Amino acid sequence: MFDDERIDPSYKDYVYQFRSLSQKELESFPRKFKYGYFSTTIAVDTRTYMQYLTSKLCLNGVKFLKKKLHTQQKFVSEHAEYEIIFNCLGFGSIEFCHDTKMVPIRGQMIRVKAPWIKHFYYTDDNCYIIPNINTICLGGTRQKGNSSLELCDKDKQDILNRCKELCPSLESASIEWEWVGLRPHREPIRVEKETIQPSANDEKNIIIIHNYGHGGNGISLSRGTCMHAVDLLLNSNSTYYIKSKL
């Protein structure tokens, strides 16, 4: 919902049950909006989803190794046995690739118990109320350049005030837990192929497919950018050198 007049979004024909809110529906909220729309879409509880993906990969023979990585050149020189590398390091790419275009966008949210909330709400000042599996997610903040992972009481109160103004019944909701995270933002998102040599004396080329910088849209864009990244590998000559665009 928005405080000013808007035209329908470009994706209106691609989401289920899209329609503009009626004047009566807009006036049903304590805060007066000038435009809004309704649609049916998918909500992903990322913690559960990531556990599912990890389990699925393990069942297919993928091995996970937790290790501190430094620079891209150092990594390939120490692991010349690899022929293909997918770089999905997010903020790790700042050090790994010397990527200065990566910027944190700090987000803080609150999980509450409010089982009577059945719909999601989102306003143009980044206030959102999103039902998840066991809780309702209240947010949020979009603080570009802020890398603090400390909970902020001021942000917490601001989130609660905005969400309760939008949906007064949240006054009786109990707080379960809070969270701060950093969105790995980059303009543009980096999905590209790079070919490098492990060392000056090594004629072998190693292909690196970069796929990072999705900001707060990682889950939404994950399938599309993943398919694009694989396509870069499969539908190009693996010996062809593409210079990095950093």
Side-chain angles (χ1 to χ4, degrees):
M1 290 166 292
F2 305 88
D3 288 328
D4 55 357
E5 297 290 346
R6 299 286 181 101
I7 62 172
D8 290 340
S10 59
Y11 51 79
K12 68 174 186 176
D13 296 327
Y14 300 97
V15 296
Y16 295 111
Q17 300 177 315
F18 178 92
R19 64 174 176 81
S20 297
L21 294 183
S22 67
Q23 189 61 36
K24 183 178 180 181
E25 287 173 318
L26 289 172
E27 292 175 353
S28 68
F29 294 95
R31 177 176 162 188
K32 301 309 176 186
F33 298 101
K34 293 184 177 180
Y35 172 80
Y37 62 83
F38 173 92
S39 67
T40 299
T41 187
I42 298 170
V44 177
D45 190 320
T46 53
R47 291 181 176 230
T48 302
Y49 182 56
M50 294 304 291
Q51 291 174 357
Y52 160 76
L53 290 179
T54 301
S55 175
K56 191 173 181 65
L57 289 169
C58 289
L59 289 173
N60 282 276
V62 174
K63 296 180 180 179
F64 287 85
L65 176 65
K66 188 174 182 179
K67 182 178 180 180
K68 171 67 176 176
L69 303 180
H70 297 283
T71 67
Q72 175 177 287
Q73 192 61 49
K74 179 178 173 62
F75 180 79
V76 297
S77 65
E78 293 177 348
H79 299 279
E81 70 275 16
Y82 295 149
E83 297 180 350
I84 301 167
I85 298 170
F86 281 85
N87 168 27
C88 307
L89 290 175
F91 281 121
S93 296
I94 296 175
E95 181 179 358
F96 191 69
C97 309
H98 306 295
D99 192 337
T100 59
K101 293 183 179 180
M102 291 293 297
V103 178
I105 298 181
R106 181 181 177 276
Q108 182 166 326
M109 63 84 173
I110 305 166
R111 293 292 187 115
V112 301
K113 280 285 189 181
W116 58 89
I117 300 293
K118 303 299 182 183
H119 295 91
F120 72 90
Y121 304 86
Y122 196 100
T123 69
D124 56 356
D125 62 349
N126 203 50
C127 173
Y128 54 81
I129 301 170
I130 305 175
N132 276 214
I133 296 174
N134 297 311
T135 59
I136 307 296
C137 181
L138 307 182
T141 62
R142 293 187 64 85
Q143 299 163 349
K144 192 171 183 178
N146 187 342
S147 59
S148 173
L149 290 172
E150 297 294 323
L151 288 168
C152 173
D153 287 338
K154 181 177 180 298
D155 288 337
K156 174 184 177 179
Q157 197 56 52
D158 180 60
I159 291 169
L160 289 173
N161 289 343
R162 286 185 291 141
C163 289
K164 289 177 182 179
E165 180 187 20
L166 185 63
C167 190
S169 68
L170 287 170
E171 189 67 49
S172 58
S174 61
I175 295 177
E176 297 295 300
W177 49 278
E178 303 168 60
W179 178 259
V180 173
L182 303 178
R183 305 172 178 96
H185 178 75
R186 187 183 191 275
E187 294 181 7
I189 296 171
R190 191 182 186 194
V191 185
E192 67 176 3
K193 173 187 170 184
E194 183 179 6
T195 304
I196 64 174
Q197 292 178 313
S199 65
N201 299 322
D202 199 327
E203 296 183 357
K204 173 186 175 182
N205 286 330
I206 293 180
I207 297 173
I208 299 182
I209 307 293
H210 300 283
N211 186 5
Y212 63 86
H214 301 68
N217 300 309
I219 296 297
S220 301
L221 301 178
S222 60
R223 182 174 177 84
T225 53
C226 175
M227 293 173 68
H228 179 44
V230 173
D231 186 63
L232 287 175
L233 174 67
L234 299 180
N235 295 320
S236 60
N237 186 344
S238 62
T239 61
Y240 184 69
Y241 177 80
I242 299 178
K243 185 178 181 180
S244 171
K245 297 177 183 177
L246 284 180

